[in-house]
């Protein structure tokens, strides 16, 4: 995996159909691809560190999965990081955006 990336993985193993449907709507991946990636411990979604929309998607995916009791794992440059880091990066992006407007 290249540097300066953010990514998300599902728990290894079987993922509920409801969770897969939500991820399919968010990412466009097929249900079979989502299940295969989870079974193989592969990334569900990867984006560049400065990709604001990608970061928001990762955080939204995390929140939607939490509602179903599914704990996603989030990665920065291939290293698992606490989800609070991703929330903080999203806040930082928002602050920079506001400063750019001013």
């Amino acid at each position: 995996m290249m540097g300066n990336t953010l990514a998300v993985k599902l728990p290894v193993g079987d993922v509920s159909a409801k969770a897969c449907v939500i991820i399919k709507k968010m990412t466009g991946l097929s249900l079979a691809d989502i299940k295969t990636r989870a079974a193989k411990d592969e990334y569900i979604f990867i984006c560049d560190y400065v990709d604001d929309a990608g970061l928001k998607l990762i955080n939204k995916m995390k929140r939607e999965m939490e509602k179903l009791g599914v704990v996603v794992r989030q990665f920065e440059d291939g290293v698992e990081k606490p989800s609070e880091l991703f929330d903080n990066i999203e806040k930082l992006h928002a602050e920079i955006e506001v400063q750019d407007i001013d």
Side-chain angles (χ1 to χ4, degrees):
M1 181 141 119
M2 296 173 48
N4 300 317
T5 57
L6 302 174
V8 63
K9 288 184 179 182
L10 292 169
V12 179
D14 196 34
V15 179
S16 76
K18 189 170 186 176
C20 288
V21 169
I22 291 170
I23 291 169
K24 179 180 189 279
K25 287 180 183 176
M26 293 180 164
T27 64
L29 294 171
S30 71
L31 296 175
D33 196 19
I34 294 165
K35 286 193 166 283
T36 299
R37 288 182 185 205
K40 292 182 177 180
D41 196 28
E42 295 175 353
Y43 296 108
I44 296 297
F45 182 78
I46 302 170
C47 70
D48 192 82
Y49 191 87
V50 295
D51 179 355
D52 192 49
L55 173 62
K56 287 178 180 176
L57 179 67
I58 288 173
N59 283 337
K60 182 177 180 183
M61 194 180 304
K62 173 192 69 172
R63 289 188 295 271
E64 292 299 317
M65 292 300 102
E66 283 175 347
K67 291 176 188 174
L68 299 175
V70 176
V71 179
V72 300
R73 294 169 294 142
Q74 295 173 301
F75 295 81
E76 176 187 27
D77 295 336
V79 178
E80 190 167 356
K81 299 288 183 172
S83 64
E84 295 80 21
L85 173 69
F86 287 71
D87 294 330
N88 290 337
I89 294 170
E90 187 174 349
K91 288 176 189 164
L92 180 61
H93 282 203
E95 288 173 12
I96 291 169
E97 194 173 290
V98 168
Q99 288 175 2
D100 286 347
I101 292 170
D102 292 343

